[in-house]
């Protein structure tokens, strides 16, 4: 394998001859506050056995310099042993001690040991992020999940700092201007799960205690930290409160005591993902510390992530997939447990399954209809494949399928299976078969065909009701039609809905059955009165696209918002969005539904999805000839609902943000400017810092914000967040110069952290400015391979996705994308996958436009 990649075959080969007894890792980060210092000292001593003495192997390491390599007392020449990605060693003994001393680089891309300087107070903060394979940027190791070992970290850091790692520290010794932190050895864990967090973080502490069945007590010290300048906004009580509810709940469900001693949760800057389940030392993106008012959907999302990461302590950390093919064994479970736990742990987020149905599943449906979709158990040849597999299939579809599995085997069999799985495989590695084995034991069912249909094939089925009635309006037959490349067994509920005395659409009947094959008759429905709405997959038990019979769809056009049950309503919204995406409902009809009924939507998360989807419908799926009118309608609707919303409510804030996203005309932009200046007020709406930036973005995109005004706003909010918003506003201005500057900042320099790359691409790619961005379509395709080769994968992924000319919906860009794909069959598969997916989005937009035109 070339360069930084590592193949599954190589990993298997290495695991077949090696067993690792332990790592001692010493890091010296005292240089971190000195921004001129680019590296830190890293010394690893790994003790391991080899079943084939005399064999050779390699350690993974991405470091600017290797100072020494010593195998069993024998010094090797780094110049020959180290090739830039691997430390090669030969002549292994049965028992080996290998020490590698290197200078490793501080990261600005969130990969490895990330360094951040707070513009507010100049303080420096460090944290690590490794998944899938960036521990090798910090210390030499065998970078694959199935070579688990205990790790003992020693970290020397500036004296004023605190340092955290997976295990608690045992001693802290002063050493001049520094302190050295010796951590206890960890339990056996995978390299990608190790972690170090260091800096003058603000810390909140708490404690969790639980009586165990054997009469002993489990004591878990808790902490939560963030940068000092965020401390005034840090609601640690809420975070730790959810944490304790989660610990109660998972102990009850999993019946395996939390195995990693203490539980720290660090909210860290410029984080590339949502969070990471490092045992005992979870890291989160610090945007979960809310500087301004956010809606309850944001609190729910954060609580979901807290429980998701906590579930990983068992699914992923205690029991880990052997290789990245089975990433779903941890991510699908954690994703499922995030929602399941919000309900089960009795948090205040009782609509968690509504959010799941409406938002997580939308991610899965989208991903599963790309030409690049894959089975939940994937074929991951190497690390680049692995990097792209953190996707809507592995997370959201996998979680959806687990929800279906619970409906299929029952929750008792499901959780008893989990309990056996933990006990049987604690501190080990597993594959699909290991999970099926316990589930077959506890359910008494043969799950091989179920697994083949659901886990080992790709694609989503559509389920459509077919209703025939007699002269009296009674159902003579209700059948469920299934289509898709693979037909699957679905356990579903069919909901029958009619108007009640108040005019609400309420469920008058529910029939649960197994759907198999292309057509399944719902025998119990025969003879019932034909209802106003037949809702397949009511209660959201299975994973499918819901379709409607014609009469139901007509009734929805008149009364979607009258469905009283919020889950049924969310499923219906999701179904009409899928119809729109599939070119089966004109975009303007979807927009009309949103304009008519979104104002009635109680669920704040669903409302926010409707906003985003309605905007996409106008920007990408509507006939271009109707776009301007559609945009005006959305802005008018936003203004109407904003003025009518309950003062101070989440809904009011959501509509204010939506107004900022859609404002185009003089009236709307005038209000935006008035809100910023304080000359206009909306009762109860606090124009706080984040809302101010949303309003500035609207003005900037309309060409109505000057450089001086934007600079003044940044001066008033000279924070990491302010810097991101300011960058996005500059890139969003509708001038050729603004686009050129944003493009150049990302393409011509390797200095920007991923957060600022994102801010630039987001500002650059404003659909309404498609003419300005059109000039960059050709350069984009020319640059792709160079970007992929030269930039780190986190940055390259953001460039490939963020600069793809998705708004160019005239057909020309589709042809350019096809030409690139045809002309680059040998490009990196992960790069081709990203381009294929964006190309598919574009083709879908063109199909939807054709539907809207007709
Ligand atoms: Zn996860």
């Amino acid at each position: 394998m070339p360069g930084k990649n590592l193949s599954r075959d190589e990993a298997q080969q290495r695991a077949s001859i090696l067993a690792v007894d332990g790592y001692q890792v010493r890091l010296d980060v005292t240089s971190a506050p000195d921004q001129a210092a680019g590296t830190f000292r890293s010394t690893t001593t790994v003790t391991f056995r080899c079943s084939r003495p005399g064999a050779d192997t390699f350690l993974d390491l991405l470091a600017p310099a290797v100072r020494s390599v010593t195998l069993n007392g024998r010094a090797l020449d780094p110049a020959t042993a180290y090739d830039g990605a691997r430390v090669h060693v030969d002549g292994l003994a049965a028992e080996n001690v290998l020490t590698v001393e290197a200078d490793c680089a501080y990261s600005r891309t969130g990969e490895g040991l990330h360094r951040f300087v707070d513009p507010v107070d100049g303080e420096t903060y460090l944290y690590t992020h490794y998944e899938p394979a960036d521990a090798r940027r910090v210390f030499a190791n065998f970078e694959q999940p199935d070579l688990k070992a205990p790790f003992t970290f020693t970290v020397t850091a500036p004296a004023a700092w605190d340092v955290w790692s997976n295990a608690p520290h045992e001693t802290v010794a002063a050493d001049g201007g520094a302190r050295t932190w010796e951590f206890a050895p960890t339990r056996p864990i995978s390299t990608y799960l190790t972690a170090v967090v260091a800096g003058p973080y603000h810390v909140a502490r708490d404690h969790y205690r639980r009586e165990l069945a054997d009469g002993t007590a489990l004591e878990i010290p808790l902490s939560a930290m963030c940068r000092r300048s965020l401390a005034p906004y840090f609601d640690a009580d809420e975070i730790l409160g959810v944490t304790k509810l989660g610990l109660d709940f998972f102990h009850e469900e999993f019946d395996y005591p939390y195995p990693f001693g203490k539980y720290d949760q660090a909210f860290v800057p410029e984080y590339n993902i949502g969070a990471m389940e490092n045992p005992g030392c979870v890291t989160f993106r610090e945007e979960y510390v809310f500087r301004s008012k956010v809606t309850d959907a944001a609190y729910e999302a954060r609580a979901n992530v807290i429980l998701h990461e906590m579930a990983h302590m068992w699914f992923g950390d205690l029991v880990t997939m052997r290789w990245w093919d089975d990433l779903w064994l941890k991510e699908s479970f954690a994703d499922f447990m995030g929602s399941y736990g919000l309900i089960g742990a009795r948090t205040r987020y009782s609509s968690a399954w509504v959010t799941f149905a409406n938002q997580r599943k939308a991610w899965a449906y989208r991903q599963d209809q790309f030409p690049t979709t894959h089975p939940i158990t994937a074929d991951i040849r190497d690390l680049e494949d692995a990097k792209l597999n953190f996707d809507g299939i592995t997370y959201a579809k996998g979680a959806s399928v687990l929800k279906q599995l619970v409906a299929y085997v029952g929750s008792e069999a499901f959780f008893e299976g989990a309990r056996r799985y933990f006990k049987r495989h604690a501190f080990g590695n597993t594959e699909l078969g290991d999970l099926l084995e316990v589930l077959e034991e506890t359910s008494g069912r043969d799950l091989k065909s179920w697994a083949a249909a659901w886990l080992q094939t790709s694609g989503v089925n559509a389920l459509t009701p077919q209703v025939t009635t007699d002269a009296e309006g009674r159902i003579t037959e209700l059948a469920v039609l299934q289509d898709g490349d693979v037909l699957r067994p679905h356990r579903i509920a069919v909901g029958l809905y009619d108007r009640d005395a108040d005019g609400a659409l309420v469920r008058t009947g529910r029939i649960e059955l197994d759907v198999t094959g292309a057509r399944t008759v719902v025998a119990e429905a025969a003879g019932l009165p034909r209802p106003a709405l037949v809702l397949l997959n009511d209660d959201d038990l299975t994973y499918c696209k819901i379709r409607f019979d014609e009469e139901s769809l007509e009734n929805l056009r008149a009364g979607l918002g009258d469905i009283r049950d919020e889950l049924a309503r969310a499923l219906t919204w999701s179904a009409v969005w899928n119809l729109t995406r599939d070119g089966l409902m004109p975009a303007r009809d979807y927009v009309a539904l949103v304009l008519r009924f979104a104002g009635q939507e109680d669920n704040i998360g669903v409302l926010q999805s409707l906003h985003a989807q309605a905007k996409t419908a106008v920007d990408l799926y509507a006939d271009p000839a109707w776009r301007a009118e559609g945009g005006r309608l959305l802005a008018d609707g936003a203004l109407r609902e904003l003025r009518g919303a309950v003062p101070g409510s989440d809904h009011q804030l959501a509509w204010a943000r939506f107004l900022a996203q859609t404002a185009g005309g003089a009236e709307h932009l005038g209000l935006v400017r008035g809100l910023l200046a304080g000359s206009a007020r909306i009762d109860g709406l606090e124009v706080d810092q984040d809302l101010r930036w949303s309003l500035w973005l609207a003005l900037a995109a309309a060409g109505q914000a000057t450089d001086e005004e934007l600079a003044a706003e940044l001066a008033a909010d000279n924070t990491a967040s302010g810097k991101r918003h300011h960058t996005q506003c500059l890139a969003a201005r509708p001038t050729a110069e603004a686009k050129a500057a944003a493009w150049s900042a990302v393409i011509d320099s390797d200095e920007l952290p991923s957060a600022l790359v994102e801010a630039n691409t987001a500002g650059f790619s404003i659909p309404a400015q498609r003419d300005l961005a059109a000039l960059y379509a050709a350069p984009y395709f020319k640059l792709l391979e160079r970007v992929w080769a030269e930039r780190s994968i986190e940055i390259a992924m953001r460039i490939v996705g963020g600069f793809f000319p998705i708004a160019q919906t005239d057909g020309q860009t589709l042809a350019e994308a096809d030409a690139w794909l045809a002309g680059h069959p040998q490009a990196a598969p992960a790069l081709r996958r990203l381009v294929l997916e964006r190309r598919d989005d574009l083709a879908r937009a063109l199909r939807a436009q054709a539907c809207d035109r007709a």
Side-chain angles (χ1 to χ4, degrees):
M1 290 301 293
K4 300 168 184 172
N5 217 333
L6 173 74
S7 74
R8 179 175 50 203
D9 290 344
E10 290 173 315
Q12 281 172 351
Q13 207 277 329
R14 195 158 59 173
S16 73
I17 61 167
L18 300 187
V20 186
D21 293 319
Y23 289 88
Q24 302 270 344
V25 180
R26 301 187 74 88
L27 306 176
D28 183 342
V29 297
T30 43
S31 67
D34 173 7
Q35 298 307 304
T39 61
F40 58 92
R41 185 68 60 85
S42 162
T43 309
T44 302
T45 297
V46 53
T47 309
F48 62 101
R49 284 163 284 141
C50 175
S51 61
R52 277 210 342 250
D56 49 23
T57 191
F58 59 92
L59 286 171
D60 302 285
L61 176 66
L62 299 176
V66 173
R67 289 170 174 260
S68 68
V69 179
T70 311
L71 175 66
N72 300 329
R74 170 167 61 100
L76 308 179
D77 180 3
T80 50
Y82 184 54
D83 67 4
R86 296 175 176 187
V87 178
H88 299 272
V89 292
D90 55 9
L92 294 179
E95 299 192 357
N96 301 276
V97 178
L98 173 58
T99 298
V100 177
E101 195 183 9
D103 293 330
C104 293
Y106 294 110
S107 169
R108 283 299 293 140
T109 65
E111 299 153 294
L113 181 64
H114 188 77
R115 175 167 60 179
F116 172 84
V117 180
D118 191 333
V120 175
D121 53 17
E123 295 286 2
T124 299
Y125 292 90
L126 302 178
Y127 64 87
T128 57
H129 179 73
Y130 297 153
E131 191 175 26
D134 284 323
R136 59 189 169 148
R137 293 179 188 275
V138 178
F139 59 92
N141 65 74
F142 299 111
E143 188 85 284
Q144 60 188 76
D146 59 343
L147 284 174
K148 288 188 171 185
F151 287 81
T152 306
F153 284 96
T154 303
V155 181
T156 303
W161 286 16
D162 285 327
V163 184
W164 294 263
S165 185
N166 305 91
H169 67 265
E170 290 186 323
T171 62
V172 188
D175 174 14
R179 288 197 292 171
T180 294
W181 299 65
E182 302 265 1
F183 292 91
T186 68
R187 305 299 300 268
I189 57 176
S190 306
T191 51
Y192 76 92
L193 290 168
T194 60
V196 171
V197 173
Y201 284 88
H202 165 79
V203 196
R205 296 182 204 281
D206 205 333
H207 193 86
Y208 175 84
R209 180 188 161 88
R210 183 179 181 83
E211 308 286 336
L212 297 179
D214 64 4
T216 62
L218 181 67
E219 307 277 356
I220 307 176
L222 308 177
S223 82
M225 50 271 202
C226 67
R227 286 188 285 126
R228 276 184 192 168
S229 65
L230 286 177
Y233 314 108
F234 196 41
D235 54 341
D237 288 352
E238 164 81 13
I239 290 163
L240 293 166
V242 171
T243 303
K244 287 191 243 182
L245 289 173
L247 286 169
D248 269 342
F249 178 65
F250 288 129
H251 277 99
E252 274 155 34
E253 292 287 352
F254 294 164
D255 190 33
Y256 191 104
Y258 173 69
F260 299 110
K262 48 96 179 172
Y263 201 72
D264 298 322
Q265 298 177 93
F267 292 76
V268 297
E270 297 183 330
Y271 204 40
N272 286 329
I273 58 169
M276 180 68 207
E277 69 267 22
N278 314 305
C281 191
V282 181
T283 38
F284 296 80
R285 66 188 297 117
E286 69 175 17
E287 286 74 8
Y288 286 126
V289 180
F290 306 122
R291 300 192 315 153
S292 296
K293 178 178 166 71
V294 294
T295 70
D296 219 35
Y299 287 95
E300 181 187 318
R302 182 178 69 181
N304 187 313
V305 174
I306 290 171
L307 296 183
H308 174 122
E309 304 311 326
M310 190 181 290
H312 273 315
M313 297 298 136
W314 291 266
F315 279 114
D317 295 359
L318 177 65
V319 183
T320 312
M321 70 273 153
R322 182 164 306 290
W323 177 249
W324 303 101
D325 313 63
D326 279 310
L327 178 60
W328 76 283
L329 273 177
K330 71 181 181 76
E331 292 306 343
S332 302
F333 281 86
D335 216 56
F336 173 80
M337 290 297 166
S339 299
Y340 186 86
L342 284 178
I343 308 283
R346 291 185 282 281
T347 69
R348 66 188 177 89
Y349 308 104
S350 54
S351 297
W353 286 125
V354 176
T355 309
F356 183 82
N358 188 248
Q359 284 156 47
R360 293 309 265 189
K361 282 197 170 177
W363 184 25
Y365 298 141
R366 176 166 180 266
Q367 191 94 44
D368 211 5
Q369 294 174 86
F370 283 143
T372 56
T373 189
H374 55 84
I376 291 172
T377 59
D379 176 26
I380 302 299
R381 296 156 295 187
D382 57 37
L383 289 177
E384 284 201 0
D385 279 358
K387 188 78 188 172
L388 264 66
N389 208 37
F390 293 81
D391 65 7
I393 300 300
T394 304
Y395 285 67
K397 182 182 179 183
S400 307
V401 167
L402 290 178
K403 196 170 183 223
Q404 166 67 187
L405 180 62
V406 171
Y408 189 68
V409 302
S411 65
E412 206 24 65
F414 180 80
F415 280 99
E416 180 54 28
R419 291 188 276 272
R420 291 190 195 180
Y421 179 74
F422 299 137
K423 291 191 179 83
R424 203 167 293 173
H425 301 288
F427 302 105
N429 294 83
T430 53
E431 296 165 352
L432 168 64
D434 300 308
L435 181 78
L436 292 183
E437 181 183 283
V438 290
L439 289 171
E440 288 186 338
E441 285 171 21
T442 59
S443 71
R445 297 177 85 145
D446 178 359
L447 291 175
K448 307 237 173 5
S449 62
W450 182 89
W454 280 108
L455 301 174
Q456 295 168 318
T457 59
S458 58
V460 56
N461 301 116
L463 300 183
T464 309
Q466 192 179 52
V467 193
T468 54
T469 52
D470 62 17
E472 280 81 54
R474 295 195 168 273
I475 294 173
T476 48
E477 186 184 76
L478 169 56
V480 180
L481 309 185
Q482 177 177 189
D483 60 38
D485 295 338
V486 180
L487 302 185
R488 301 185 175 88
H490 295 266
R491 183 76 186 166
I492 67 163
V494 178
L496 308 177
Y497 288 76
D498 261 312
R499 298 270 178 187
D500 69 2
D502 301 328
L505 274 169
V506 296
R507 187 157 76 187
T508 55
R510 178 186 187 277
I511 303 166
E512 194 169 315
L513 76 157
D514 290 315
V515 165
T516 51
R519 190 171 193 278
T520 306
V521 173
V522 186
E524 276 182 64
L528 297 174
R530 149 90 228 190
L533 168 64
V534 176
L535 180 59
L536 298 185
N537 196 31
D538 203 358
D539 298 332
D540 199 33
L541 302 181
T542 195
Y543 168 78
C544 69
K545 290 197 285 189
I546 302 169
R547 305 299 199 203
F548 300 106
D549 61 289
E550 262 174 49
E551 191 172 333
S552 293
L553 189 56
E554 276 317 302
N555 289 329
L556 286 173
R557 287 181 197 276
L560 192 163
D562 301 332
I563 298 172
R564 185 171 291 155
D565 179 77
E566 69 171 347
L567 178 58
R569 205 168 58 241
L571 289 169
T572 308
W573 277 122
S574 166
V576 294
W577 177 239
N578 276 323
L579 289 173
T580 309
R581 280 173 40 82
D582 289 350
L584 299 172
M585 173 182 275
R588 69 190 72 192
D589 289 12
Y590 178 79
V591 169
L593 283 170
V594 171
L595 288 170
R596 183 156 183 194
F597 297 119
Q600 288 169 248
E601 182 53 59
D602 292 337
N603 185 294
I604 185 66
V606 172
L607 178 63
Q608 292 175 174
S609 300
L610 296 179
H611 288 161
Q613 289 164 355
K615 182 132 175 48
T616 299
V618 168
D619 286 341
L620 299 179
Y621 297 163
D623 178 4
W626 185 75
R627 243 181 231 146
E629 187 188 340
R632 244 186 335 269
L633 289 171
L634 288 184
D636 286 344
L639 184 56
R640 186 181 65 238
E641 298 294 343
L642 173 59
R643 293 204 185 280
V646 175
S649 65
D650 283 0
H651 283 61
Q652 185 187 47
L653 175 59
W655 285 109
R657 288 183 189 153
F658 193 50
L659 177 69
Q661 287 160 20
T662 54
E667 183 198 357
H668 309 124
L669 290 168
L671 175 62
V672 164
R673 186 163 275 284
L675 289 170
L676 279 168
S679 57
R681 272 186 48 80
I682 290 180
D683 188 26
L685 181 71
E686 193 197 335
V687 184
D688 56 22
Q689 188 60 61
D690 284 358
L691 184 55
R692 288 185 66 82
W693 281 118
S694 302
L695 298 170
W696 277 119
L697 183 61
L699 291 180
Q704 296 188 17
T706 66
D707 288 1
E708 292 71 28
E709 286 173 324
L710 295 174
E713 192 68 30
L714 177 62
D717 180 26
N718 186 23
T719 63
S721 170
K723 176 81 179 149
R724 280 202 303 279
H725 288 296
H726 181 254
T727 300
Q728 186 177 352
C729 286
L730 291 181
R733 289 168 301 167
T735 64
E737 295 72 30
K739 302 301 157 195
W743 175 271
S744 170
V746 171
I747 298 294
D748 299 335
S749 149
D750 203 2
E751 295 296 303
L752 290 186
S754 19
L756 291 182
V757 170
E758 269 172 26
N760 272 298
T761 60
F764 179 92
S765 303
I766 299 216
Q769 300 170 1
R770 41 175 61 79
D771 292 349
L772 283 168
L775 301 172
Y776 293 85
Y780 169 87
F781 289 109
K782 270 205 199 74
L783 275 169
L784 282 176
E785 282 185 299
R786 201 189 94 204
V787 162
W788 198 260
E790 293 178 2
R791 309 299 284 272
S792 83
I793 193 161
E794 282 288 346
I795 298 292
M797 284 164 64
R798 281 166 172 77
I799 294 174
V800 175
F803 277 144
F804 186 92
I806 180 68
Q808 307 304 324
T809 52
D810 54 7
Q812 157 88 18
T813 305
L814 190 67
E816 285 177 296
D818 285 337
W820 185 88
L821 287 163
H824 297 82
Q826 304 302 326
L831 170 60
R832 283 183 57 85
R833 173 177 167 174
L834 288 173
V835 175
L836 275 163
E837 291 175 358
R838 295 295 82 72
R839 183 256 176 226
D840 192 68
D841 277 336
L842 191 51
R844 180 177 287 275
L846 290 168
R847 288 196 300 275
Q849 285 178 16
C851 167
D852 192 54
R853 211 164 16 244

